[in-house]
Structure formats: C-alpha cells, structure tokens
Amino acid sequence: MPDQASIMERMQQWRCCVLIPTYNNEKSLARVLRDVLRFTSNIIVVNDGATDGTLEILQGFSKIHQIHLEKNQGKGKALRTGFTEALDKGYEYAITMDSDGQHFADDIPVFLDALENEATKNVLYIGARNMAQADVPGKSSFGNKFSNFWFWFETGTWLEDTQCGFRLYPLKEIEKLSLYTPKFEFEIEVIVKASWNGTLVKNVPVKIVYDDVDRVSHFRTVPDFTRISILNTWFVLVTIFYIKPRDFFRKVKKKGIKKFLLNDVLGSKDTPAKKASSIALGVFIGLSPLWGLHTLLVLFLSFLLKLNKPIAFAFSNVSLPPFIPFIVLASLQTGSWILGESFTFSLDSINENFNFLIHLKAYLLGSMVLALTGALLLGGIGYLTLTFFGKRKMAVNNG
C-alpha cells in the first residue's frame, strides 16, 4: 500500500489535482471518489449533465470541488472545462481518471514517480493498460492498436496505449493548444497536438479492470469510432502537408545544412546501400509528375521499403517551388526528344501560361525518364560517396 501521507504531500508539491469527468456513472462514482480521497483532496469533478443519481451522490462529497454542466456535452468538453478550472485554482498538472471504476487510485504514485524522474517537466503521461489480460474486450484491443498506429504516423512516437483515460497532463502546455473536439475523440486530439507542440508523450504502466458489474461505458462504437477516424484522416493530411515539412526544415535550420548532412546522412548507422536507395527514392519521387503527393508517397514508400525516411524526404525536396519551372522544362524537352517531336519551350512561357499542357504526353514521359535518371545518378553518386567516407572513417578509426 503506498504511503498515503507522502502522496498527499507530493500532490501539493507538484501542484497536481485529480480531474474526474463523470456522466451517468451512479453505481461507481462514490467508490471512485472515496478511493481517490485516500491519496489527495485535490479533486475536481465535472458533472457532464448527468441524468441519473450523480447530483445526489456529489452532494455527499461537499468538500470536493465540483462543476455541474447543465446538459451533456461530451467527455472532451468536460475535460476542457476541468483543465480551465484547474488552472484558475493554481494547479500545474492534472491526473485524469474515469468515473466508471476501471482505474485504480493507488496508481496515482506511478505518475508522480515518473514526473519526478523525467528530465523535462513538459511531459504528458498516458496509462498503459495490459491489453492482453483476459477481461479486455476485443473491440477495445483493436481500437487501441488502430489508434496507436495513427498516433505513430502523425507524430513519429510509438506508444503501447493511446486511448487510456488515466493520464497526467501539463496544464500550462495544454493551455497553449487550440482544442476543438467535444467527445471521446478529444483524447486523441490533445495528445497529437501536444506532441506536435513539443510536449513529450509517454506511457506509464497502470492496472485496469473491465469485468466490474457496476462499470458503464458511454463509448458508442459506430459514431464515436467514426468521429475518431475522421479526426485521424485530418491529422494525417496535416502531418503530410505541414508537420513533416515543418519539422524537417526546423531540423535543418537548427543544425545547419552541413551538420545535417554530416549527422543525419553520413552519420546514420544505415548501410551505404540503404542510404543511397533512400536518396534515389527521394529524387525519383521529387522529380515525378505526381505533384501534391510527393510527401505522402515518399513517407509511405520509405516506410514500406524500410528506408531512411529523413534522407528520402530531404532529397524529395528537389522539387521545391523555385525549381519547378526548371523541372517541367527539362521534362518537356526530354519527352519531346524521345518522341521525336519538334517544338520549343522557354521558362517564360511555362511561368506565364500553361499551354505546354497540350504536350502532356511528352511531359509525363519526360518527367518519368528524368526522375528515373536522376534517381539512378544521384543514388549512385550517393553510394560511392558514402562508401568512400565509410572506408575512410574505418581506416582512421583503425589508426
């Protein structure tokens, strides 16, 4: 049994509260509150418009800070309301727990221990449930795996559990985010946006119970899963067209081009063949005529082919906007030469109008040939260069 007095003191030290959103959980709510009160009185309960006996139950816990919403607005809205209240009361962290009885209050020290040992305090912890235990419903296990994959794709961080409601939030960092979703999808929105904004998102192990007869879940499989899927679809688009390019250019800007090439290209532990293949893939995609899909394709194919994603993405940027007219011109001239067609183009005509599109066949053929040639050429040069530097480094290390 954890030292209750010590935990109370630590909760005060970290200015941490327990936030419990509740909706129609009259069978388990009182038990959950009594359980948490053993460890802290820093509790905020948000009654999300419950229509059962919740109000009467909360009247018996008058010392607990309570917020009562007139009508049910969803878990996301309840959490956002609770975060605002916690900040107003001077708290810096909030541990969220569900009121259906599936979480154990004696896991609260797990979050405090992790926070105390973490190098950064800008961290968001998510409880990691044992999804292999016998009483875990199949749909919960599937939904968690589904959510974990998309969180990894959107942030580059792989977690064991992204759906557990037992969490520790850094309130001042959460306050900086623009959060909109009102229901269960909020718990995906907040961790993705927090990660994008620089918050470390990690798992800590917690216990869970699903076979409690008093447990009532308000997750509606079809509508709520649909809302989460729509949110993830939007996040994937934002990731591809904004977050990944933003992070890449931030990384290059921070390191400088020379340092980026030395550390991330030459310094990568991948083999010269793998690095060269990553260069070739990036150049091929960047010079291909699949405008608007370059980032999506290079990330997907580098993942599928198990290549170096930073290198592939870096070299796909041969098609940055200033270079596009030159790429189009080179593609048209290459295609016209292969087809034996006699016409001329200039950069001025490409920049001023799109009449060259009447020669679409020449453009498509030329761009694919150019992409393949560029990929083979730069990939080959990359392989020879990386092999040379690798041997030279080995010779230096061997003295």
Side-chain angles (χ1 to χ4, degrees), residues 25-31 33 52-62 66:
N25 280 129
E26 61 181 0
K27 292 183 179 180
S28 55
L29 177 59
R31 172 162 49 89
L33 294 177
D52 61 357
T54 293
L55 187 59
E56 291 74 17
I57 292 170
L58 289 177
Q59 288 174 350
F61 293 89
S62 57
Q66 303 173 20

Side-chain angles (χ1 to χ4, degrees), residues 180-224:
Y180 304 103
T181 54
K183 299 186 183 296
F184 286 102
E185 70 274 14
F186 172 83
E187 291 182 307
I188 299 298
E189 179 189 20
V190 67
I191 61 173
V192 171
K193 288 185 174 179
S195 181
W196 284 350
N197 205 44
T199 296
L200 177 65
V201 181
K202 296 180 67 174
N203 282 134
V204 293
V206 298
K207 300 182 292 295
I208 195 79
V209 61
Y210 276 100
D211 58 1
D212 188 340
V213 294
D214 293 333
R215 180 175 180 267
V216 177
S217 173
H218 299 288
F219 186 88
R220 301 167 299 167
T221 303
V222 175
D224 288 320

Side-chain angles (χ1 to χ4, degrees), residues 331-343 345 362-363 366:
S331 299
L332 284 165
Q333 291 182 331
T334 301
S336 65
W337 176 74
I338 293 173
L339 293 173
E341 297 177 354
S342 179
F343 45 79
F345 307 96
Y363 166 67

Side-chain angles (χ1 to χ4, degrees), residues 8-313:
M8 289 183 180
E9 184 179 337
R10 291 163 71 194
M11 289 289 287
Q12 292 296 121
Q13 175 188 344
W14 286 103
R15 303 196 64 78
C16 182
C17 68
V18 175
L19 172 59
I20 304 175
T22 186
Y23 174 68
N24 288 0
N25 280 129
E26 61 181 0
K27 292 183 179 180
S28 55
L29 177 59
R31 172 162 49 89
V32 170
L33 294 177
R34 286 194 294 268
D35 197 22
V36 176
L37 281 168
R38 293 187 298 121
F39 300 101
T40 183
S41 58
N42 297 351
I43 305 173
I44 298 175
V45 176
V46 181
N47 171 16
D48 187 22
T51 57
D52 61 357
T54 293
L55 187 59
E56 291 74 17
I57 292 170
L58 289 177
Q59 288 174 350
F61 293 89
S62 57
K63 293 184 179 180
I64 291 179
H65 189 75
Q66 303 173 20
I67 302 171
H68 297 275
L69 303 181
E70 291 186 6
K71 61 180 182 178
N72 178 247
Q73 298 182 53
K75 188 177 184 181
K77 176 62 175 178
L79 286 171
R80 280 165 31 213
T81 301
F83 291 156
T84 300
E85 187 70 13
L87 281 164
D88 288 345
K89 292 180 70 65
Y91 292 114
E92 296 185 9
Y93 296 93
I95 295 175
T96 59
M97 290 180 64
D98 294 341
S99 63
D100 59 3
Q102 68 171 317
H103 302 147
F104 293 85
D106 58 10
D107 274 333
I108 288 175
V110 173
F111 292 93
L112 298 177
D113 291 343
L115 182 61
E116 288 169 357
N117 293 315
E118 196 71 59
T120 176
K121 304 311 172 188
N122 179 13
V123 61
L124 190 162
Y125 292 118
I126 304 174
R129 303 162 291 178
N130 178 10
M131 301 304 290
Q133 69 185 50
D135 61 345
V136 176
K139 65 179 181 180
S140 295
S141 179
F142 169 78
N144 190 55
K145 291 177 182 177
F146 179 85
S147 179
N148 294 348
F149 171 79
W150 288 118
F151 181 78
W152 167 80
F153 186 91
E154 292 152 7
T155 67
T157 300
W158 182 262
L159 297 179
E160 299 174 31
D161 193 341
T162 52
Q163 292 193 317
C164 183
F166 204 176
R167 304 177 175 191
L168 181 142
Y169 288 95
L171 294 173
K172 291 182 179 179
E173 297 301 323
I174 299 303
E175 186 182 24
K176 299 175 184 178
L177 307 178
S178 298
L179 302 167
Y180 304 103
T181 54
K183 299 186 183 296
F184 286 102
E185 70 274 14
F186 172 83
E187 291 182 307
I188 299 298
E189 179 189 20
V190 67
I191 61 173
V192 171
K193 288 185 174 179
S195 181
W196 284 350
N197 205 44
T199 296
L200 177 65
V201 181
K202 296 180 67 174
N203 282 134
V204 293
V206 298
K207 300 182 292 295
I208 195 79
V209 61
Y210 276 100
D211 58 1
D212 188 340
V213 294
D214 293 333
R215 180 175 180 267
V216 177
S217 173
H218 299 288
F219 186 88
R220 301 167 299 167
T221 303
V222 175
D224 288 320
F225 188 76
T226 299
R227 293 171 72 96
I228 290 172
S229 297
I230 293 172
L231 178 66
N232 275 318
T233 300
W234 170 245
F235 278 166
V236 166
L237 293 174
V238 175
T239 297
I240 292 169
F241 294 109
Y242 175 67
I243 298 298
K244 293 295 184 183
R246 180 204 69 178
D247 290 348
F248 171 74
F249 287 114
R250 281 181 178 177
K251 187 175 184 179
V252 174
K253 183 178 179 181
K254 184 178 180 180
K255 287 188 173 183
I257 294 178
K258 182 179 179 180
K259 200 170 182 180
F260 172 78
L261 291 173
L262 289 173
N263 292 349
D264 294 78
V265 179
L266 295 176
S268 169
K269 294 181 180 179
D270 291 331
T271 64
K274 188 172 183 178
K275 293 177 186 177
S277 297
S278 303
I279 292 172
L281 174 65
V283 172
F284 179 81
I285 296 298
L287 294 177
S288 73
L290 303 170
W291 302 104
L293 298 174
H294 288 172
T295 303
L296 173 62
L297 287 171
V298 79
L299 291 176
F300 174 75
L301 290 174
S302 58
F303 168 74
L304 186 67
L305 300 173
K306 298 181 179 180
L307 298 177
N308 186 303
K309 289 185 285 296
I311 294 177
F313 180 76

